Structure formats: structure tokens, C-alpha cells
Amino acid sequence: MTEKWFNANRPRRLRRSKAIRRLVRETRLSPQNLVYPIFVKDSGAKEPIASMPGIYRLPVDQLEAEVVEVKELGIPAVIIFGIPSKKDPYGSGAYADYGIVQKAVSQIKHIEDDLVVMTDVCLCQYTDHGHCGIIGGNEILNDKTLELLAKTAVSHAEAGADLVAPSAMMDHQVAAIRRGLDDSNFQNVAVMGYSAKYASGFYGPFREAAYSNPSFGDRRSYQMDPANSREAMKEIEIDIQEGADIVMVKPALAYLDIIARAYERFDVPIAAYNVSGEYALVKAASMNGWIEEKRVVLEILNSIRRSGAELILTYFAKDVARWLRDDEEV
Ligand code: PBG
């Protein structure tokens, strides 16, 4: 008998077939984890977004087909981004009774009542200067902006939103919104904080899609410094104290360490936003034939799940739901 010079472990035994691999898989990705972002505008034709192939600015009256498709694919939630036809210094389109998001939300709820409808609560798409809050001198005013964010969230709730997601990175935005909702009897509308939202170059295509590039300066005085991770824990902790039901890390791919740390540390669901620039990178490379899109996307989304995110906001949601239905392996 030959003497064993190794131990009995042979990890390859559990990799022999697709069925075995599936049995022992540690992380599962399902359409149920996904949230599909939708850009909505008032009128006109459905417009493709150049840097986000496959994603469109949809007029409100063409939402139905999209919403029905999302529902049929088993995706439980959408998040709505409005592209208003007018902007002003106070972002009043964000909290207008018949603003674009308000119209879209009530339409969607009318079409598919059990689809979870989330809204992005921010002013940047609605201000003529493109900042996420109102301006005084050269500053983005925190506390004055809070009132407007709360008003926006309440108007979304009135339209039927199930969950509002403040993304302006103003201090105490979750508290202001929670108070606004409760005062208007929307105790059951949930808040998902964009808690650890970094000042990132990965938002480029989104800003093209939503015409929301700041006209002066940048967002570094309110969004987080990409070099920081302890500060992300502080932001998340504050949001949870203020009543956030779900906390988000954004972007996802360059911040998987932040997702993992947040998952270890906090006992609320963690969301991750696989943002527009992450989508654009994969699309550009796959359109050039340099990578296999399906494999790469599944691998990326699995890495986000593996890091600890239960919810993933992704422009790939519909594609992924189709691939998973077709039983594609990671
Ligand atoms: C609004 C907002 C942005 C994104 C989500 N909400 C843009 C920004 O902060 O500049 C980015 C999403 C993406 O890039 O896909 N503040």
C-alpha cells in the first residue's frame, strides 16, 4: 500500500457536476434579490441612453409594458427616477403634486399593485444647478434642504410609494423624512437610506441619463470620500438610529469591503447599488467581444450577494432574471 503523503481532502469532489456544485453553493442569486431602476419622463418618445445600452428614458404613458415585464420575470421591486421637463433653484419638481415621479408611482400602483415601488428622494434632477440640495452662496445648505426632502418623500408616499430612498447625503435626511412620513400618517412607508454613498466617478452615465451633472463644483462636500470605510460605518449607524429600515452601500463593486463590513456589523438588510458606470463598463467590453457578458454579470452580482447584500439595485435585473430562468450557471 502506498503511504498517503496527503490528507483526505479533495475539494474537487464537490465540483464534479453542475448538480453537485449547485447543492453546495453558499450564495444564491435570485430575481427576488433584485430591484430594477426605471427612468421616467413626462412625454415624447422612449429614448435610448447612449452610455447605458438597453436602458431608456420612458414616457409615463409607456410604463405599462415595462412594469408587466418586470413582474412576469419575478423581480419584486422597481425604483423610480424622474426626469422633469422643468428645473428651478429649489427643485420644486421633486415635490410637486403632479410631478413626474408622483405620476409614475400612481400609474405603476394602478397597473401592478403588488410590485414594490421605491422612489429616489433627492433634488439633483430637479435643481437648475444640479446639486442635491439648495444653494446659499457657495454652499449646499443642509438643514434647509431637509424640509424639501421630507416634502418630496411625503408626496411620493401620497402617490403610493412603498419605500422612499433618500440619496442626497444631507445629514439627518432619514430623521427628517421619517418624521415627515409619520406626521402625515405614513408610518408604514419604509425608508432605505443611501447611507454610504460615495462621491464616485461611476455615476457618470446616470448623470447623462438624468441630465443631473452639477453646473459648478462637485458633490464631494456631501458624498463620501472613497478612501474611507470607518466613516461608512458611522453613516450607516446614524441612519439606523434615525429609523432607516434598510441601508445601502453605493457604488457596489469598488466597495465590496464596505458591504461586507456593514453586513457583519448591523442587523438590518443591506442593499447595494450596482450603479450606471458599473453597467456601462460591462456593456462596453461585451459589445466589443472582450468579455462574456452573461458570465461576468452573474459573477459580479454573486460577489455583491456574497459580500452580504440582500437587495441589489441593478440595470441588469431583467437580463439576470431571464438568465436565471434559463438555468445559467455562474
Ligand atoms: C441622485 C442619484 C444618483 C444616483 C442615484 N441617485 C446620482 C448622483 O448622486 O449623482 C446614481 C445611480 C447610478 O449611477 O446608477 N442623487
Side-chain angles (χ1 to χ4, degrees):
M1 208 168 72
T2 51
E3 195 186 331
K4 263 197 178 165
W5 49 271
F6 50 81
N7 69 25
N9 287 313
R10 279 187 184 271
R12 288 186 51 192
R13 288 184 197 116
L14 300 183
R15 294 181 201 141
R16 286 180 66 217
S17 69
K18 187 170 176 177
I20 295 181
R21 287 193 293 275
R22 181 175 295 181
L23 273 173
V24 300
R25 187 158 292 150
E26 296 174 39
T27 307
R28 302 198 190 258
L29 180 66
S30 146
Q32 290 172 32
N33 298 114
L34 307 178
V35 180
Y36 187 59
I38 301 180
F39 294 101
V40 190
K41 60 175 192 166
D42 272 308
S43 55
K46 168 174 169 177
E47 283 173 279
I49 299 161
S51 53
M52 302 177 72
I55 305 294
Y56 299 84
R57 299 182 193 95
L58 273 184
V60 187
D61 60 9
Q62 284 179 39
L63 272 172
E64 180 155 2
E66 184 82 320
V67 167
V68 169
E69 189 186 13
V70 167
K71 185 77 207 311
E72 276 174 5
L73 286 166
I75 298 165
V78 293
I79 182 162
I80 305 301
F81 294 97
I83 303 168
S85 32
K86 276 188 257 142
K87 304 188 186 224
D88 64 30
Y90 306 102
S92 57
Y95 39 90
D97 285 341
Y98 296 99
I100 179 65
V101 170
Q102 292 77 0
K103 279 193 278 190
V105 169
S106 58
Q107 278 247 13
I108 295 173
K109 276 291 167 188
H110 186 69
I111 303 164
E112 289 286 2
D113 185 42
D114 52 355
L115 196 67
V116 177
V117 178
M118 307 182 170
T119 59
D120 182 82
V121 177
C122 194
L123 301 184
C124 60
Q125 283 120 265
Y126 306 88
T127 50
D128 51 11
H129 45 74
H131 277 290
C132 301
I134 53 179
I135 306 272
N138 281 329
E139 284 208 33
I140 320 302
L141 303 174
N142 195 89
D143 295 10
K144 288 227 163 81
T145 301
L146 294 181
E147 285 166 45
L148 302 183
L149 293 174
K151 227 168 132 171
T152 304
V154 170
S155 73
H156 292 176
E158 275 163 355
D162 299 291
L163 178 154
V164 294
S167 69
M169 287 301 277
M170 295 297 122
D171 291 336
H172 306 308
Q173 58 184 10
V174 171
I177 286 173
R178 186 70 271 161
R179 190 174 64 181
L181 290 172
D182 289 355
D183 286 351
S184 302
N185 262 321
F186 291 113
Q187 286 87 353
N188 293 329
V189 171
V191 177
M192 172 168 74
Y194 279 71
S195 310
K197 176 171 177 180
Y198 286 88
S200 170
F202 284 101
Y203 309 148
F206 176 101
R207 291 183 192 168
E208 183 202 313
Y211 312 109
S212 62
N213 243 320
S215 60
F216 67 91
D218 55 41
R219 302 208 204 290
R220 286 186 176 88
S221 74
Y222 42 106
Q223 300 182 345
M224 281 186 58
D225 183 341
N228 296 352
S229 66
R230 299 173 70 216
E231 190 190 11
M233 300 304 110
K234 176 176 166 184
E235 284 280 7
I236 292 171
E237 188 164 5
I238 294 171
D239 277 8
I240 294 173
Q241 283 166 357
E242 293 183 5
D245 302 283
I246 301 173
V247 293
M248 191 202 291
V249 175
K250 174 184 174 203
L253 208 42
Y255 299 88
L256 293 177
D257 57 325
I258 310 298
I259 299 173
R261 239 179 126 168
Y263 181 74
E264 288 300 321
R265 187 148 160 176
F266 300 106
D267 298 327
V268 298
I270 311 286
Y273 202 141
N274 176 225
V275 298
S276 57
E278 298 173 54
Y279 179 82
L281 293 185
V282 172
K283 280 285 175 191
S286 71
M287 285 164 80
N288 273 295
W290 295 337
I291 57 167
E292 236 180 279
E293 179 173 352
K294 216 185 276 184
R295 276 193 80 165
V296 168
V297 171
L298 290 173
E299 196 172 329
I300 288 174
L301 295 192
N302 262 286
S303 76
I304 299 171
R305 286 279 297 123
R306 200 181 61 232
S307 303
E310 283 90 11
L311 293 80
I312 306 175
L313 289 76
T314 179
Y315 303 98
F316 287 115
K318 290 197 297 181
D319 297 329
V320 169
R322 273 186 219 107
W323 299 333
L324 293 174
R325 190 181 58 194
D326 299 342
D327 211 19
E328 293 287 341
E329 213 180 5
V330 181

